[in-house]
């Protein structure tokens, strides 16, 4: 099954339900890769030949607004309140976007024409990082039950048993990208261990990485390196390479996001052979299970020149806000719906349900830390040094204590020079 056919299958499943309900047949076409899709859209928009309904990246001011229906007058709270609380955030135009577009000489005419509160799409699916995938066959071959570990230490112990019994390395991820570990796992370990404020203190330079409260997070990676649980060649492995290696059985676990599932299936894996679980907490963590605030991946929009505008609008409401349609789409496309399914999430495929259960419906611990993450993790250069040091530690060239000391020393010298 290629990745596009997964999404295609999702639309087909929802379209079949819609036809049963209304008698209206929906014809589905998909195009891949992304660049081809953007070009097709632009050409069709220029020739006023767009389809009735379009799937687009969840965003405001992304150049499609001239071609699609502005929905704020069409869609009420009866629909909007059914989605995850943050699902509309990237789609609704904000006052700060309006202000920045007005002040930006490079902003497009479309951007400059938008007003706060407008939106041009409804959220279809959501995603998040902080997800580990496990190969059930390899886990069971090692004599273990294919269940999510409850703690980091239990996770490490599973990887040790797997390596000892099957010879398969424990973990792969795109370690070629130096900050991927911190973005997709390390920050979660830290926020669970010391609650959001503990991580905020580190970002705001009010604590040190070598503090006994913070060092266990660095040691979590040191343990994987020291016990040879990382896939050989991990530092030259990018995200796609990691997913390919996992799909080929070269590692028992893969670190990714909710969207990794459809990639693994596109690479030929069977959903029954995969378990998914969020980053497990270190023993003694103040927060004992990880939940993350999902972000919206794509939205559904209606062609403003459509001859079937009412039906098209009805279909996107059905697809995004009707639980039967959302579940049918999600299970066929292997993506988590933006609709808050509540108890009906039990009807999602097991791996999707596990991912969906780790998404907080209300702002969770990550959202408490995210303002500080967004403000300081790129600006404070000790985090760049840390990412590189972590790579050295994966090669066993540095210890956790040395990594922490280098971070602290860099932080102190930057602070002293006013950076």
């Amino acid at each position: 099954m290629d990745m596009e056919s997964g999404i295609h299958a999702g639309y087909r499943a929802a379209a079949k339900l819609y036809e049963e309900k209304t008698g209206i047949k929906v014809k589905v076409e998909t195009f891949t890769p992304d660049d081809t899709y953007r070009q097709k859209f632009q050409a069709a928009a220029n020739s006023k030949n767009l389809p009735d309904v379009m799937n687009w990246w969840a965003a405001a001011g992304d150049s499609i607004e001239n071609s699609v229906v502005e929905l704020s007058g069409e869609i009420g709270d009866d629909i909007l309140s059914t989605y995850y609380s943050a699902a509309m955030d990237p789609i609704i135009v904000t006052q700060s976007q309006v202000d920045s577009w007005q002040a930006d000489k490079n902003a497009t005419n479309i951007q400059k024409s938008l007003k706060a509160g407008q939106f041009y799409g409804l959220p279809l699916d959501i995603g998040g990082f902080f997800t580990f995938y496990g190969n059930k066959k390899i886990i069971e071959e090692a004599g273990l039950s294919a269940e999510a570990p409850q703690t980091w230490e239990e996770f490490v112990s599973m990887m040790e048993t797997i390596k000892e019994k099957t010879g398969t390395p424990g973990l792969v991820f795109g370690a070629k990208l130096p900050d991927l570990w911190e973005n997709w796992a390390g920050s979660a370990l830290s926020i669970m261990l010391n609650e959001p404020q503990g991580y905020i203190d580190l970002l705001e330079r009010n604590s040190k990485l070598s503090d006994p409260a913070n060092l266990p997070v660095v040691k979590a990676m040191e343990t994987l390196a020291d016990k040879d649980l990382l896939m050989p060649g991990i530092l030259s492995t990018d995200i796609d390479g990691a997913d390919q290696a996992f799909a080929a059985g070269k590692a028992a676990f893969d670190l990714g996001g909710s969207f990794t599932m459809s990639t693994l299936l596109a690479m030929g894996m069977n959903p029954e052979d995969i378990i998914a679980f969020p980053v497990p907490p270190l023993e003694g963590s103040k927060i004992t299970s990880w939940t993350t605030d999902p972000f919206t991946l794509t939205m559904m929009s209606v062609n403003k020149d459509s001859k079937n505008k009412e039906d098209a609008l009805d279909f996107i409401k059905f697809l995004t806000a009707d639980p039967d349609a959302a579940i049918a789409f999600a299970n066929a496309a292997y993506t988590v719906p933006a609709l808050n399914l509540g108890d009906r999430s039990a009807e999602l495929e097991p791996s999707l349900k596990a991912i969906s259960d780790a998404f907080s419906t209300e702002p969770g611990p990550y959202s408490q830390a995210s303002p500080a993450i967004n403000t300081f993790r790129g600006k404070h250069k000790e985090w760049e040094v840390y990412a590189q040091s972590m790579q050295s530690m994966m090669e066993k060239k540095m210890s956790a204590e040395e990594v922490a000391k280098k971070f602290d020393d860099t932080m102190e010298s930057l602070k002293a020079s006013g950076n």
Side-chain angles (χ1 to χ4, degrees):
M1 155 173 141
D2 70 86
M3 195 183 315
E4 210 47 47
S5 74
I7 294 293
H8 196 87
Y11 289 125
R12 278 205 313 268
K16 182 167 174 276
L17 279 183
Y18 190 67
E19 187 179 355
E20 285 165 12
K21 184 185 159 196
T22 64
I24 296 169
K25 201 170 179 65
V26 180
K27 183 184 171 206
V28 179
E29 276 188 282
T30 48
F31 299 99
T32 188
D34 291 356
D35 287 348
T36 306
Y37 182 62
R38 284 184 184 275
Q39 286 160 6
K40 287 244 180 221
F41 179 93
Q42 205 48 61
N46 291 342
S47 60
K48 296 256 188 279
N49 194 26
L50 283 167
D52 297 312
V53 170
M54 285 140 298
N55 182 210
W56 197 257
W57 294 267
D62 192 26
S63 79
I64 71 164
E65 286 82 0
N66 269 0
S67 305
V68 297
V69 177
E70 199 281 299
L71 295 170
S72 63
E74 309 274 353
I75 306 290
D77 278 347
D78 57 324
I79 298 280
L80 297 180
S81 62
T82 62
Y83 304 127
Y84 272 77
S85 60
M88 287 295 294
D89 287 359
I91 300 175
I92 294 182
V93 178
T94 64
Q95 189 58 51
S96 64
Q97 282 176 312
V98 170
D99 294 343
S100 71
W101 287 326
Q102 292 304 330
D104 181 0
K105 63 178 194 304
N106 295 320
T108 64
N109 289 336
I110 294 176
Q111 287 170 332
K112 287 184 184 294
S113 73
L114 297 177
K115 296 178 179 63
Q118 292 182 326
F119 56 95
Y120 290 79
L122 295 179
L124 176 63
D125 52 352
I126 53 175
F129 304 114
F130 309 111
T131 307
F132 283 106
Y133 290 87
N135 184 317
K136 266 192 193 174
K137 286 182 174 169
I138 294 172
I139 296 167
E140 287 168 353
E141 191 191 327
L144 299 169
S145 67
E147 287 170 15
Q150 297 307 298
T151 64
W152 182 261
E153 289 75 8
E154 192 186 318
F155 188 26
V156 171
S157 155
M158 284 176 82
M159 289 190 246
E160 285 184 282
T161 303
I162 288 163
K163 180 146 197 262
E164 183 193 325
K165 296 277 169 62
T166 72
T168 309
L171 179 64
V172 68
F173 58 93
K176 186 177 181 180
L177 285 75
D179 57 358
L180 182 135
W181 175 257
E182 187 62 21
N183 287 337
W184 290 14
S187 52
L189 289 172
S190 194
I191 290 168
M192 285 189 284
L193 185 62
N194 298 312
E195 298 188 315
Q197 192 54 52
Y199 195 54
I200 292 166
D201 286 343
L202 198 56
L203 290 158
E204 292 182 344
R205 297 174 166 172
N206 294 326
S207 69
K208 294 185 168 181
L209 195 55
S210 58
D211 291 348
N214 290 322
L215 196 59
V217 176
V218 193
K219 287 203 162 276
M221 175 52 73
E222 183 183 50
T223 304
L224 299 182
D226 286 355
K227 292 178 182 287
D228 294 318
L229 297 175
L230 299 171
M231 188 187 84
I234 196 168
L235 286 184
S236 56
T237 305
D238 61 12
I239 295 168
D240 286 345
D243 295 341
Q244 281 159 356
F246 174 71
K250 292 179 182 169
F253 298 96
D254 182 20
L255 171 62
S258 58
F259 38 80
T260 305
M261 187 72 178
S262 59
T263 306
L264 297 175
L265 300 182
M267 290 171 176
M269 287 194 85
N270 186 325
E272 279 90 60
D273 295 337
I274 301 170
I275 59 165
F277 53 92
V279 176
L282 288 153
E283 276 171 14
S285 288
K286 292 175 180 163
I287 296 172
T288 54
S289 65
W290 180 248
T291 57
T292 188
D293 307 285
F295 49 85
T296 309
L297 297 171
T298 68
M299 63 185 187
M300 301 302 297
S301 300
V302 170
N303 174 4
K304 72 176 173 53
D305 299 318
S306 167
K307 296 189 170 54
N308 308 303
K309 204 180 292 180
E310 288 307 309
D311 291 336
L313 197 56
D314 189 59
F315 178 69
I316 71 165
K317 286 196 270 192
F318 175 73
L319 180 58
T320 63
D322 181 295
D324 293 335
I327 289 163
F329 176 81
N331 284 338
Y334 266 90
T335 185
V336 178
L339 182 66
N340 182 357
L341 291 168
D343 293 344
R344 293 201 59 187
S345 67
E347 296 170 49
L348 293 173
E349 293 280 350
S351 291
L352 275 184
K353 184 180 185 313
I355 294 165
S356 152
D357 287 348
F359 287 160
S360 46
T361 50
E362 297 303 322
Y366 189 80
S367 66
Q368 292 169 46
S370 61
I373 291 170
N374 296 339
T375 305
F376 297 117
R377 211 158 64 190
K379 187 171 134 189
H380 288 167
K381 296 300 175 201
E382 62 265 24
W383 289 93
E384 260 177 48
V385 170
Y386 177 55
Q388 287 152 4
S389 300
M390 290 292 273
Q391 287 184 315
S392 297
M393 193 164 66
M394 290 175 208
E395 293 184 290
K396 299 193 206 177
K397 291 178 179 169
M398 287 176 84
S399 68
E401 286 77 8
E402 287 166 339
V403 169
K405 184 176 186 311
K406 190 164 185 185
F407 178 95
D408 294 344
D409 290 350
T410 307
M411 178 174 77
E412 290 304 329
S413 70
L414 287 167
K415 253 166 73 173
S417 65
N419 291 307

